[in-house]
Amino acid sequence: FSQRFRVIVCDIRGFGESEPGEAAPRPEQYAHDLRALLIHLGVDRAAIVGFSMGGVIAQCFAIHHPEMTSALVIAASSSVVNRQAAEYYSERAKLAETQGLEAVRATTVSDAAACFVASSPEVVEAYRQLRRGAIRDARGYANACRAMASLREQALTQELINIRCPTLVTTGERDFLCPPKASEIIHAKIANSRLRIAPGVGHCLHWEDPADFNGVVVDFLSSV
């Protein structure tokens, strides 16, 4: 993307190089962080591209800060989670709080594998190492898990009708972690949004078929 656009990539609080800060386990916290970062960098408006939890943050950003959102790409994400998913996130939060960082990192073996359907072991291992390296703070990880679990009781779905910017919603045809139905719900709520279901790939559609994903996103961003 940097060949065509100015690209800003941020670590959310508690991940990578970002401090965890004060916990407020709702996705809006991360959206407000992103707004503060863009203001700090002197960016008035931006196209927000988010994958998985990043897609939730992107939705929140467009809902709460429409004046700063020129376009939106929501990849393999959801506006609501079911009971099973909420319990999963709550269990992971408890694991981080009671057993610490290494216990959380140990779960990346199964978590990373579940994100793919047809990629080589080398690709899966590379993604696993990326995830392990990103999880730098147990409190930050727990906060993120609780933010995702909160979508069970406080879904974003009904607020999506307030998003007016050009929006691309995309997901993998064989995404079993966040099934295509979730993207269809988002697409149905955002007026004039585009929906694309990538064939033959899972949750990490941008890793399994990067040429397809990158091409679709670049074409969309170039058009708007």
Side-chain angles (χ1 to χ4, degrees):
F1 301 134
S2 61
Q3 296 177 10
R4 297 283 301 274
F5 310 102
R6 178 188 180 189
V7 177
I8 299 166
V9 184
C10 67
D11 293 332
I12 64 172
R13 58 173 64 203
F15 289 77
E17 297 181 17
S18 293
E19 297 294 327
E22 295 296 325
R26 278 290 294 162
E28 287 85 355
Q29 180 184 51
Y30 301 101
H32 299 330
D33 286 346
L34 179 56
R35 175 181 180 272
L37 174 62
L38 292 177
I39 290 174
H40 173 72
L41 295 174
V43 178
D44 296 325
R45 283 168 59 83
I48 310 299
V49 181
F51 160 73
S52 196
M53 180 182 174
V56 175
I57 297 170
Q59 293 171 65
C60 283
F61 188 90
I63 290 167
H64 292 281
H65 308 295
E67 74 287 353
M68 297 184 70
T69 312
S70 62
L72 198 59
V73 177
I74 304 168
S77 193
S78 179
S79 59
V80 63
V81 300
N82 61 21
R83 178 182 57 81
Q84 182 180 6
E87 290 176 352
Y88 165 86
Y89 287 120
S90 295
E91 289 170 1
R92 287 301 170 85
K94 291 177 183 177
L95 178 69
E97 292 165 344
T98 59
Q99 299 186 39
L101 200 57
E102 285 309 311
V104 170
R105 285 176 172 167
T107 65
T108 60
V109 174
S110 58
D111 287 354
C115 292
F116 297 86
V117 295
S119 286
S120 68
E122 292 79 13
V123 171
V124 177
E125 180 59 25
Y127 181 65
R128 182 178 297 138
Q129 293 302 324
L130 178 72
R131 287 176 67 111
R132 283 180 60 87
I135 301 170
R136 301 287 293 277
D137 186 280
R139 292 175 300 157
Y141 180 83
N143 191 54
C145 287
R146 295 198 185 283
M148 291 300 293
S150 75
L151 293 177
R152 170 69 172 161
E153 301 297 332
Q154 297 174 280
L156 300 176
T157 309
Q158 298 309 315
E159 296 183 82
L160 295 178
I161 60 173
N162 296 317
I163 295 178
R164 301 297 181 187
C165 65
T167 301
L168 169 66
V169 185
T170 184
T171 191
E173 176 187 37
R174 300 174 64 187
D175 185 349
F176 304 117
L177 296 180
C178 191
K181 179 63 177 178
S183 290
E184 293 170 0
I185 291 172
I186 295 171
H187 167 59
K189 289 293 184 179
I190 301 179
N192 301 316
S193 61
R194 309 178 194 179
L195 174 65
R196 192 198 187 238
I197 300 177
V201 294
H203 189 60
C204 282
L205 67 163
H206 57 318
W207 278 67
E208 292 205 85
D209 195 346
D212 178 75
F213 178 83
N214 293 344
V216 168
V217 174
V218 166
D219 287 348
F220 168 73
L221 293 178
S222 298
S223 73
V224 299

